[in-house]
Each structure stands twice: as structure tokens, then as C-alpha cells.
Amino acid sequence: MVKFGDKLESEVFQDWKFYSLDYKELKRRIGAEPYTLTEYREFQRSLDDEKAKVNAFFKLKYNELVRRIEAMEKAVPSLEEALKGLPQQHDDAHTPQYEAETGSDGGSASTDESHAAAQKIRLSHLDQEIGRVSQEVKDLAYFSGLNFTAVKKILKKHDKNRTSYPLTSKYASFLNSKPFNEATYDNLILRLSELWDKIRYIHGNASSMDKADGVDQQNIVRKTTKYWVHVDNIVDVKVLVLKHLPVLLFKKGVNNDPALNSIYFDNDNLDLYHERMKREEGAQNLRFRWYGDRTKTDEVWVERKTHHEDWTSQKSIKERFPIKEKHLNDYLAGRYPIANAVQELRAKGKKKEKDLLDMQRLGDEVQQMVLNKKLHPMIRTSYNRTAFQLPADARVRISLDTDLTLVREDGFSRNNGNWRRDDTGFPFAELPKEDVIYFPYAVLEIKLQTQHGQEAPQWAMDLANSHLVEQVPKFSKFHHAVANFHVDKVEKVPFWFYQMNRSIVKPRPPLHLDPTRVDELDSDEEDMDHQDLRNRMDAAQTAAKNTVKIDKFGKIYFSNERTFLRWLNLCIYIFSFSLMLINLAPDYVSRHIGTMFSCFGIGLLVYNLVIFHLRAQALRNDDGDGPYELKFEPVVVAVLMASGAAVSVWLKWSGWV
């Protein structure tokens, strides 16, 4: 496993490494002997100096990026104006600049051509500058996150080795403030998103300016793949995505609070949880969602998700309708018919009649579902969501949920009979620790619509296969919370529980092999020393060998386990049958047959145990593509079982026993 000091030196952008925390020197000071009060104070002084060095560089670089973004924001309108009326041609990013500056006596036509070439060069330079700034935002975020981790690790190491001189408590305010976290970059990311969007529009590519209206959120059917993102990689993911998709603002010109809150309902038997975990056809989830302010809301969206298995040829669907919060408790108790809300909307004339009829149908069904199944508040999820999508192109929609917090809501002592508890709000610090889970990762969802032969864009595939994310198929915030808060009630836990106990951090690839870069490498960077490149590749491969690679084949891994358990169940039946013959049969022939079945059961168990371990090892070695079918074994088992039964019957009726 790569030591953190080596990781800090190798993964920080090389031009910035002298501004990074001198982790190895601080570590050396901890090991100094004798370690007295003088050494303790010297160590603290050195740590403060190193922190100040990192912070000074961070502020300098951050302010530089802000000024460069401001310069680009000023350049885009003038460039867009200058390009108006020019003939639509493919951009030539490699046109030498002097060609646009060379004079000509060819008259106005030559002047126009020169002007067009000059503007296209300006556009090319702007493209490159946006890419460079975006990449430097990524690099700075990783630099600051890595150095913050270095401070935490060196303090932990100091207090572990020098128990007489605890130091962490003196830096509590620094650690709790979470300096350099992803929120620091949100303003830069929004501004870069607008710049990339305008550049796409200038180039004639799809952009948010193609359609002024928002996105229809009434009924959504999408194929979704989910991933975990380590906090150190959140900004990397955002910057990579915004190069291709703008940040989606549902209401333009309005302050869009990214907070998203949901209350999930279930009953005391956790029926909704168990039905979905068993993947039963028609299994449903019910949640009540509101946006923005985490403590209050005027409007709540009632959402019902219905799961359909593939064999039904139906897609899982999410249906929802709005209701005023002041009516919600009465609605859930059956005292407020949804027809009243429908009639109010009909009077305003803001919705189509079909939508109103669908709302009434869904509202009645949800109300009966709550009353018949005795559903009540169970789980709250609260997080900040950043969504990326082109309004005119729904092929790819990406959302990233950060600061995910899971809160327990069940019980009258918590919610006082209300549809949600109102004694708390983010960050839920006043609640007991057993009622709150602060999820350690961000959750990325890549939602694709690939019908009609459409394929996912290459950049989306690069992101999904990159070191920035960890695939977690079918991850559910609701299931994760229920399985944690109600361990005594759940029959089975989600498979990703096994992934929570190990780090999802993956080695960063060498500079030239990183598909997630958003800039173009300069020629001098491309000529970097091959030995250095080889060393970085070797380090990445070494680190990768220490990672258990079962996640890519997660479902296959647990299917392998379930298959072995089914074979084990069959072996237990065979053993039971054979022991019954051996112990209860009055004749020796039956006992011999029982012994034969016992040996057969032992052989079958050993064979499948070996097969299970061979398959598991193949999955760990990233060689889990199969095939996995057993073509002959089931036939052999069936023949032997039938033969044994037939021989027993024949011996019985032929008079041999």
C-alpha cells in the first residue's frame, strides 16, 4: 500500500508540490528523541508554518482563477458579437495567428477573410483557456483536499505517538470548519458552467440556450446507474461534467437552493423495504419531498416509485403530485380528499385536464396505500443536489448529491404524530448520534435514455469507468438508512454494506493516461520523462493490486454466493435422507444405499465448495466475465438421485430386502 507521504508528493500537481505540506518533515519531527516540551512547541510552530504556506498559496491561486474567469466572461460577449454574420465553417484551431494579422491588398473580401480568421483564432484561444482554468480548478481542489487530509493525518499520528502532548484538540476549530471543501468552488463551477455553455452555443453545439423552458418533471422514466464519489473527487467530477452539460437550473433568474429533502414512509414490519429488497414485481416506495429550506416549506411533492421486473417489459416509473403542507397531515389521515386540491388547481386553470385526472387517481391510490398498509414516517434524507442536463437533450442527465445526511423519523417521540419531525434541521447536530448518519461519500447518478439506437456519449463512459467513482448498482438512500437504523427488523441488508468497510479511493492515473482531463496538454508536457511516467504507472498498478476488485462484478459475486448456498441446501437434504436410511433401516442393503448417498452428498459439497472459491478468486482478479453455467452437474445429480431411488424401490419390491 502506498504511504500517504509518497502519495502526497506524487499526486499533487508537480508545479505546486513546493507549496504543499511537508508531511515527511513533520513526521520526522514526531519521531525525534527525546521528545520534550521544546520539541512539542517546535512541532506545533512548524505545523502552523506549513498550514500558512498551503493557505497562502491556495488564496493566491484561487484569486487568480477568479480573475481569469472574469476576463473570459468579459471576452465572450464581444467575441459572440464579432462572430455574428460570419460564414459557418469548421473552426481551425491550428491556424497560425500571423495569418490573421498579415495585410492584403485584395480589397474588402480579403479584409473580411482576415477578420474571420482572427475571430476564429480568438475563439480557439478562449476554448483552450476555459479548458486550462477548468483543469486548474480541479487540480486546486485536489491539492487543497489532499493537504487538509495531511493535516488530519499528521495530528492523528502525533497524538498516537506522543500521548503526553495531545495536539488535535487545539486544531478543532480548523478541522471542524472544513477549509477548502467543495462549497468553496461552487461559485467557480457555476460560472465555468455558463462559460462552457456559451462556447457550445457559439460553436453551434447543443446548449441550454436552445430551449428556454425548464424540464418536465411530472413523470420521469430513466435508466439509472449509481456511484459513490470520494469527497476529494467531488470537484473533479463536477468540472468534468460541466464541460459537456450545463448546471441545470429549474427556475432561471431565481436563487436556486440546492437542498433536497425527502421523508420516506413504511410500516412497523418494513413491508415496503422488504418487498423492494426481494425485487418483487410491483414493489413500491413512497416519499414526500420538498426543495430548498430544510426546516419549512409551503409545497410538498408526493412521489410513488413502482418497480417492474424486466420480464414484464415495463419500465419502473416514478409518479408524483404536489400538495400544500398545511393539508398533508389531514390527507395522510384520510380527512382531506385529494379532489379538493384538484378542484383548486382546476379553478386556477394552470394544468391540463388530463394531468388533473392523473393527479386525482394517484392521490387517491396513495391515500389508500397509506391507510391500508398503516404507513408512517420512517426515514429522512437531506442533501445538496447539483444536476447537469441540456434542456433540449434528455439522453444524459447527471446528478451529484453531496452532504448526504440520513435521519430517523419513526416513533411518536420523534415526530409527535406529524408527517415529519420538526425539532431539528441541517446539520442535525442537536439529535442523538443513534438517530443520524452522515454518509461519507457523495452519490452520483448517471441517467441515460438510449432508446432508438442511441449510445451513451464517450465522455460519460469515461467518467463511469474512471478512478473518480465507485460503481454501486441499485444504491438506495432509503434502504441504507433502514438497514442501519433497524438492524433488528431487516431480513437482509443491501449488498453495498460490504463496500462500506473499505476505502473507495483509487490510484490516480498518470497525467497522459487520464481520460478525465478537461484541458489539452502542452507539447512540453507531452515530452515528460518516460522513466517518470513508467514509475507512476508502476505505482498505480501496485496500488491497484492491493484493492479487492469485486465491485465491477458485485452482483455476480453475490450470485455466486447464493448459488453455493443452494447447493449446500441440496447436500443437507441428501445427508438427512442418507442418515435416515443408515440409522432407521432394518436391513443392511438399505444401510449400504444410505452410505452411498452420504458419500455422494459429501462429494457434491466438496465439488461446489471448490467451484465457489475458484469463481470468487476470478472475480477478485477482475476476471469475472464467465461463463458460469454448469452444463453437466445438474444432470449428473438428477440421474444419481433418480437411480438411487429406483434401486431402493426395486430392491424393496423384488424381495431382496
Side-chain angles (χ1 to χ4, degrees):
M1 186 174 180
V2 179
K3 294 182 178 180
F4 182 78
D6 295 331
K7 177 181 178 179
L8 185 62
E9 287 186 355
S10 63
E11 294 193 356
V12 165
F13 185 46
Q14 292 302 298
D15 289 351
W16 301 349
K17 65 180 180 180
F18 296 110
Y19 303 100
S20 189
L21 196 83
D22 196 343
Y23 185 85
K24 290 186 176 180
E25 174 60 21
L26 292 172
K27 184 178 176 181
R28 186 192 66 79
R29 288 181 177 274
I30 294 175
E33 295 293 349
Y35 196 84
T36 63
L37 184 60
T38 302
E39 281 72 26
Y40 168 73
R41 289 173 176 170
E42 184 63 30
F43 175 83
Q44 186 175 356
R45 189 181 306 111
S46 298
L47 179 57
D48 289 338
D49 291 343
E50 290 296 316
K51 277 175 56 259
K53 178 183 70 175
V54 173
N55 190 52
F57 174 75
F58 170 80
K59 289 183 177 179
L60 179 68
K61 194 64 185 178
Y62 186 90
N63 291 331
E64 175 198 324
L65 292 172
V66 170
R67 290 192 297 270
R68 291 167 68 182
I69 290 175
E70 289 174 349
M72 289 187 291
E73 288 173 338
K74 293 177 181 178
V76 168
S78 63
L79 177 60
E80 186 176 5
E81 184 67 26
L83 288 171
K84 284 183 179 178
L86 295 181
Q88 296 295 320
Q89 298 177 357
H90 294 292
D91 296 332
D92 186 1
H94 303 288
T95 303
Q97 188 165 357
Y98 69 84
E99 289 184 9
E101 299 171 350
T102 302
S104 174
D105 297 327
S108 61
S110 177
T111 302
D112 290 343
E113 291 177 2
S114 177
H115 174 71
Q119 301 312 315
K120 290 182 181 297
I121 290 173
R122 285 182 61 196
L123 179 58
S124 174
H125 290 169
L126 189 59
D127 285 342
Q128 296 172 11
E129 176 66 0
I130 294 178
R132 284 192 293 265
V133 170
S134 299
Q135 184 61 41
E136 288 184 28
V137 169
K138 287 179 57 179
D139 292 337
L140 184 61
Y142 191 70
F143 170 89
S144 58
L146 207 56
N147 278 276
F148 178 66
T149 302
V151 173
K152 291 194 298 183
K153 283 185 171 291
I154 204 66
L155 287 171
K156 182 179 179 181
K157 186 176 289 293
H158 177 275
D159 289 2
K160 179 181 178 181
N161 290 276
R162 302 299 178 183
T163 55
S164 301
Y165 300 96
L167 194 57
T168 302
S169 58
K170 295 186 177 182
Y171 290 88
S173 60
F174 171 79
L175 297 175
N176 293 333
S177 65
K178 296 183 179 180
F180 322 133
N181 70 353
E182 70 274 5
T184 307
Y185 301 90
D186 283 349
N187 181 50
L188 298 184
I189 287 172
L190 286 174
R191 294 169 73 175
L192 284 172
S193 174
E194 292 180 2
L195 283 170
W196 278 114
D197 198 47
K198 290 177 180 178
I199 290 298
R200 283 191 293 269
Y201 181 74
I202 292 174
H203 280 292
N205 299 325
S207 73
S208 63
M209 287 172 272
D210 293 337
K211 184 177 180 181
D213 298 332
V215 181
D216 181 13
Q217 296 289 311
Q218 186 71 22
N219 293 311
I220 306 171
V221 181
R222 292 190 178 96
K223 180 179 180 181
T224 302
T225 309
K226 299 185 179 182
Y227 306 83
W228 290 341
V229 180
H230 192 273
V231 291
D232 290 343
N233 295 330
I234 289 175
V235 175
D236 292 58
V237 171
K238 287 183 177 180
V239 173
L240 173 62
V241 175
L242 64 82
K243 179 179 179 180
H244 307 278
L245 297 176
V247 175
L248 181 63
L249 302 177
F250 291 97
K251 294 181 180 179
K252 294 185 178 181
V254 177
N255 183 23
N256 283 263
D257 190 330
L260 199 154
N261 317 273
S262 300
I263 305 294
Y264 288 84
F265 274 44
D266 207 336
N267 55 27
D268 293 333
N269 296 325
L270 304 180
D271 287 338
L272 300 188
Y273 171 87
H274 288 130
E275 288 171 5
R276 188 65 185 89
M277 286 297 296
K278 294 175 183 177
R279 301 182 66 81
E280 294 182 3
E281 166 58 26
Q284 295 179 327
N285 268 1
L286 181 63
R287 70 186 178 199
F288 298 81
R289 171 170 288 185
W290 74 99
Y291 301 87
D293 194 327
R294 288 179 165 93
T295 58
K296 62 180 180 180
T297 181
D298 294 327
E299 186 177 65
V300 178
W301 285 88
V302 182
E303 298 184 351
R304 184 184 68 181
K305 282 186 174 182
T306 304
H307 168 74
H308 292 294
E309 289 291 324
D310 294 338
W311 56 266
T312 65
S313 300
Q314 299 182 67
K315 291 184 177 293
S316 299
I317 189 168
K318 178 175 74 176
E319 303 169 285
R320 67 183 202 162
F321 66 90
I323 187 173
K324 297 294 183 181
E325 185 187 18
K326 61 184 179 182
H327 300 312
L328 191 50
N329 282 326
D330 289 338
Y331 167 74
L332 294 172
R335 298 188 297 267
Y336 179 81
I338 196 62
N340 292 357
V342 171
Q343 186 59 37
E344 183 178 341
L345 291 173
R346 183 178 285 115
K348 293 180 180 179
K350 293 183 177 181
K351 283 187 173 290
K352 297 178 180 179
E353 184 63 24
K354 180 181 181 302
D355 293 337
L356 293 173
L357 293 176
D358 289 341
M359 176 179 170
Q360 181 158 346
R361 172 192 57 78
L362 180 60
D364 291 339
E365 291 175 359
V366 169
Q367 190 175 55
Q368 290 303 311
M369 177 183 177
V370 171
L371 296 174
N372 295 338
K373 294 189 175 184
K374 299 180 180 180
L375 304 181
H376 55 76
M378 185 65 65
I379 298 295
R380 176 188 301 204
T381 63
S382 181
Y383 47 89
N384 292 320
R385 168 163 290 183
T386 305
F388 304 86
Q389 182 183 350
L390 287 168
D393 185 357
R395 282 196 308 157
V396 183
R397 182 175 184 265
I398 293 179
S399 64
L400 184 65
D401 299 336
T402 57
D403 301 316
L404 171 59
T405 309
L406 309 172
V407 180
R408 188 169 179 176
E409 292 272 339
D410 60 304
F412 189 85
S413 61
R414 295 186 178 91
N415 56 49
N416 294 319
N418 193 32
W419 71 280
R420 64 179 175 96
R421 62 193 303 173
D422 52 13
D423 62 340
T424 185
F426 187 82
F428 310 101
E430 66 278 4
L431 295 183
K433 291 184 178 180
E434 59 269 19
D435 280 4
V436 184
I437 296 174
Y438 297 101
F439 196 72
Y441 309 123
V443 179
L444 176 73
E445 296 186 23
I446 301 181
K447 305 169 185 177
L448 303 175
Q449 290 184 347
T450 56
Q451 64 269 28
H452 308 302
Q454 293 178 327
E455 294 184 357
Q458 184 61 43
W459 66 267
M461 298 173 63
D462 289 340
L463 172 60
N465 296 320
S466 73
H467 64 283
L468 300 175
V469 300
E470 175 87 350
Q471 185 174 0
V472 190
K474 305 297 182 182
F475 174 74
S476 166
K477 304 177 184 74
F478 169 64
H479 292 160
H480 186 82
V482 169
N484 275 279
F485 290 136
H486 300 278
V487 179
D488 56 328
K489 292 184 178 180
V490 298
E491 297 175 2
K492 61 186 298 189
V493 299
F495 76 89
W496 58 80
F497 264 41
Y498 299 93
Q499 292 176 250
M500 293 296 295
N501 295 326
R502 69 176 187 84
S503 173
I504 67 169
V505 177
K506 301 175 184 177
R508 298 176 76 86
L511 187 68
H512 289 66
L513 302 179
D514 187 358
T516 66
R517 290 188 66 87
V518 293
D519 63 341
E520 296 181 3
L521 295 176
D522 297 332
S523 58
D524 57 340
E525 290 177 318
E526 294 176 355
D527 294 333
M528 70 180 294
D529 182 72
H530 289 286
Q531 184 61 41
D532 178 60
L533 177 60
R534 190 178 298 110
N535 291 339
R536 294 175 67 187
M537 292 179 64
D538 292 342
Q541 291 173 358
T542 301
K545 289 179 180 178
N546 295 316
T547 303
V548 179
K549 299 180 180 178
I550 69 168
D551 306 314
K552 176 181 176 182
F553 305 102
K555 295 178 67 175
I556 303 177
Y557 187 89
F558 293 109
S559 295
N560 179 38
E561 192 175 75
R562 290 193 297 270
T563 302
F564 170 70
L565 292 175
R566 289 192 179 97
W567 280 107
L568 177 62
N569 190 51
L570 175 62
C571 292
I572 291 174
Y573 282 126
I574 295 175
F575 282 137
S576 301
F577 176 67
S578 63
L579 290 175
M580 183 178 64
L581 287 176
I582 292 173
N583 293 306
L584 301 179
D587 56 275
Y588 287 103
V589 175
S590 296
R591 293 175 186 174
H592 289 318
I593 293 175
T595 303
M596 178 191 70
F597 273 111
S598 180
C599 295
F600 170 64
I602 293 173
L604 185 63
L605 176 60
V606 172
Y607 175 79
N608 281 281
L609 182 63
V610 172
I611 290 294
F612 167 73
H613 283 292
L614 290 176
R615 288 173 173 172
Q617 186 62 37
L619 291 169
R620 289 191 175 94
N621 292 333
D622 207 14
D623 185 24
D625 293 320
Y628 293 105
E629 68 272 14
L630 296 175
K631 297 181 179 179
F632 307 107
E633 289 81 351
V635 176
V636 171
V637 171
V639 170
L640 289 177
M641 291 293 293
S643 299
V647 169
S648 298
V649 172
W650 180 74
L651 290 175
K652 181 68 178 179
W653 292 101
S654 64
W656 284 83
V657 294

mmCIF file of all heavy atoms in Angstrom, residues 138-152:
data_model
loop_
_atom_site.group_PDB
_atom_site.id
_atom_site.type_symbol
_atom_site.label_atom_id
_atom_site.label_comp_id
_atom_site.label_asym_id
_atom_site.label_seq_id
_atom_site.Cartn_x
_atom_site.Cartn_y
_atom_site.Cartn_z
ATOM 1 N N LYS A 138 -9.867 21.890 -10.897
ATOM 2 C CA LYS A 138 -9.797 20.503 -10.449
ATOM 3 C C LYS A 138 -8.528 20.249 -9.652
ATOM 4 O O LYS A 138 -8.565 19.658 -8.560
ATOM 5 C CB LYS A 138 -9.836 19.550 -11.647
ATOM 6 C CG LYS A 138 -11.180 19.406 -12.334
ATOM 7 C CD LYS A 138 -11.093 18.458 -13.523
ATOM 8 C CE LYS A 138 -10.575 17.098 -13.113
ATOM 9 N NZ LYS A 138 -10.508 16.165 -14.252
ATOM 10 N N ASP A 139 -7.400 20.685 -10.201
ATOM 11 C CA ASP A 139 -6.114 20.452 -9.540
ATOM 12 C C ASP A 139 -6.059 21.150 -8.177
ATOM 13 O O ASP A 139 -5.540 20.586 -7.206
ATOM 14 C CB ASP A 139 -4.965 20.940 -10.422
ATOM 15 C CG ASP A 139 -4.795 20.099 -11.677
ATOM 16 O OD1 ASP A 139 -5.239 18.934 -11.668
ATOM 17 O OD2 ASP A 139 -4.231 20.604 -12.664
ATOM 18 N N LEU A 140 -6.586 22.378 -8.104
ATOM 19 C CA LEU A 140 -6.551 23.117 -6.846
ATOM 20 C C LEU A 140 -7.452 22.447 -5.805
ATOM 21 O O LEU A 140 -7.092 22.385 -4.619
ATOM 22 C CB LEU A 140 -7.003 24.560 -7.076
ATOM 23 C CG LEU A 140 -6.911 25.483 -5.849
ATOM 24 C CD1 LEU A 140 -5.463 25.591 -5.367
ATOM 25 C CD2 LEU A 140 -7.471 26.869 -6.166
ATOM 26 N N ALA A 141 -8.596 21.956 -6.233
ATOM 27 C CA ALA A 141 -9.486 21.266 -5.297
ATOM 28 C C ALA A 141 -8.818 20.017 -4.747
ATOM 29 O O ALA A 141 -8.901 19.733 -3.539
ATOM 30 C CB ALA A 141 -10.800 20.909 -5.997
ATOM 31 N N TYR A 142 -8.167 19.267 -5.618
ATOM 32 C CA TYR A 142 -7.491 18.057 -5.144
ATOM 33 C C TYR A 142 -6.302 18.413 -4.256
ATOM 34 O O TYR A 142 -6.041 17.764 -3.247
ATOM 35 C CB TYR A 142 -7.038 17.208 -6.332
ATOM 36 C CG TYR A 142 -6.582 15.831 -5.920
ATOM 37 C CD1 TYR A 142 -7.504 14.889 -5.466
ATOM 38 C CD2 TYR A 142 -5.242 15.468 -5.966
ATOM 39 C CE1 TYR A 142 -7.095 13.633 -5.071
ATOM 40 C CE2 TYR A 142 -4.831 14.207 -5.574
ATOM 41 C CZ TYR A 142 -5.772 13.294 -5.127
ATOM 42 O OH TYR A 142 -5.361 12.045 -4.727
ATOM 43 N N PHE A 143 -5.581 19.463 -4.630
ATOM 44 C CA PHE A 143 -4.446 19.935 -3.843
ATOM 45 C C PHE A 143 -4.899 20.313 -2.433
ATOM 46 O O PHE A 143 -4.302 19.897 -1.429
ATOM 47 C CB PHE A 143 -3.806 21.140 -4.543
ATOM 48 C CG PHE A 143 -2.784 21.879 -3.729
ATOM 49 C CD1 PHE A 143 -1.451 21.506 -3.774
ATOM 50 C CD2 PHE A 143 -3.147 22.959 -2.941
ATOM 51 C CE1 PHE A 143 -0.503 22.185 -3.026
ATOM 52 C CE2 PHE A 143 -2.207 23.648 -2.197
ATOM 53 C CZ PHE A 143 -0.884 23.262 -2.234
ATOM 54 N N SER A 144 -5.960 21.105 -2.325
ATOM 55 C CA SER A 144 -6.421 21.550 -1.016
ATOM 56 C C SER A 144 -6.988 20.400 -0.198
ATOM 57 O O SER A 144 -6.746 20.302 1.009
ATOM 58 C CB SER A 144 -7.465 22.661 -1.175
ATOM 59 O OG SER A 144 -8.557 22.213 -1.950
ATOM 60 N N GLY A 145 -7.742 19.508 -0.850
ATOM 61 C CA GLY A 145 -8.292 18.361 -0.131
ATOM 62 C C GLY A 145 -7.211 17.433 0.382
ATOM 63 O O GLY A 145 -7.282 16.943 1.516
ATOM 64 N N LEU A 146 -6.196 17.193 -0.439
ATOM 65 C CA LEU A 146 -5.107 16.311 -0.041
ATOM 66 C C LEU A 146 -4.313 16.912 1.117
ATOM 67 O O LEU A 146 -3.903 16.205 2.045
ATOM 68 C CB LEU A 146 -4.199 16.052 -1.248
ATOM 69 C CG LEU A 146 -3.419 14.740 -1.273
ATOM 70 C CD1 LEU A 146 -4.349 13.546 -1.139
ATOM 71 C CD2 LEU A 146 -2.618 14.633 -2.561
ATOM 72 N N ASN A 147 -4.103 18.222 1.092
ATOM 73 C CA ASN A 147 -3.362 18.870 2.172
ATOM 74 C C ASN A 147 -4.180 18.947 3.458
ATOM 75 O O ASN A 147 -3.618 18.865 4.561
ATOM 76 C CB ASN A 147 -2.912 20.264 1.739
ATOM 77 C CG ASN A 147 -1.643 20.236 0.911
ATOM 78 O OD1 ASN A 147 -0.540 20.197 1.445
ATOM 79 N ND2 ASN A 147 -1.797 20.228 -0.410
ATOM 80 N N PHE A 148 -5.492 19.101 3.347
ATOM 81 C CA PHE A 148 -6.334 19.061 4.538
ATOM 82 C C PHE A 148 -6.272 17.674 5.178
ATOM 83 O O PHE A 148 -6.180 17.537 6.405
ATOM 84 C CB PHE A 148 -7.763 19.427 4.178
ATOM 85 C CG PHE A 148 -8.715 19.367 5.340
ATOM 86 C CD1 PHE A 148 -8.592 20.243 6.403
ATOM 87 C CD2 PHE A 148 -9.733 18.425 5.367
ATOM 88 C CE1 PHE A 148 -9.466 20.192 7.479
ATOM 89 C CE2 PHE A 148 -10.606 18.365 6.433
ATOM 90 C CZ PHE A 148 -10.475 19.245 7.493
ATOM 91 N N THR A 149 -6.304 16.641 4.334
ATOM 92 C CA THR A 149 -6.157 15.272 4.841
ATOM 93 C C THR A 149 -4.796 15.085 5.498
ATOM 94 O O THR A 149 -4.674 14.398 6.518
ATOM 95 C CB THR A 149 -6.336 14.260 3.697
ATOM 96 O OG1 THR A 149 -7.617 14.442 3.098
ATOM 97 C CG2 THR A 149 -6.215 12.835 4.198
ATOM 98 N N ALA A 150 -3.763 15.706 4.929
ATOM 99 C CA ALA A 150 -2.418 15.603 5.500
ATOM 100 C C ALA A 150 -2.378 16.194 6.903
ATOM 101 O O ALA A 150 -1.737 15.635 7.808
ATOM 102 C CB ALA A 150 -1.417 16.309 4.592
ATOM 103 N N VAL A 151 -3.058 17.321 7.113
ATOM 104 C CA VAL A 151 -3.100 17.931 8.448
ATOM 105 C C VAL A 151 -3.785 16.986 9.428
ATOM 106 O O VAL A 151 -3.300 16.768 10.553
ATOM 107 C CB VAL A 151 -3.829 19.287 8.401
ATOM 108 C CG1 VAL A 151 -4.015 19.837 9.812
ATOM 109 C CG2 VAL A 151 -3.054 20.277 7.549
ATOM 110 N N LYS A 152 -4.913 16.410 9.034
ATOM 111 C CA LYS A 152 -5.622 15.497 9.922
ATOM 112 C C LYS A 152 -4.770 14.276 10.261
ATOM 113 O O LYS A 152 -4.717 13.849 11.416
ATOM 114 C CB LYS A 152 -6.940 15.050 9.275
ATOM 115 C CG LYS A 152 -7.981 16.140 9.149
ATOM 116 C CD LYS A 152 -9.349 15.578 8.819
ATOM 117 C CE LYS A 152 -9.353 14.855 7.489
ATOM 118 N NZ LYS A 152 -10.720 14.375 7.140
#
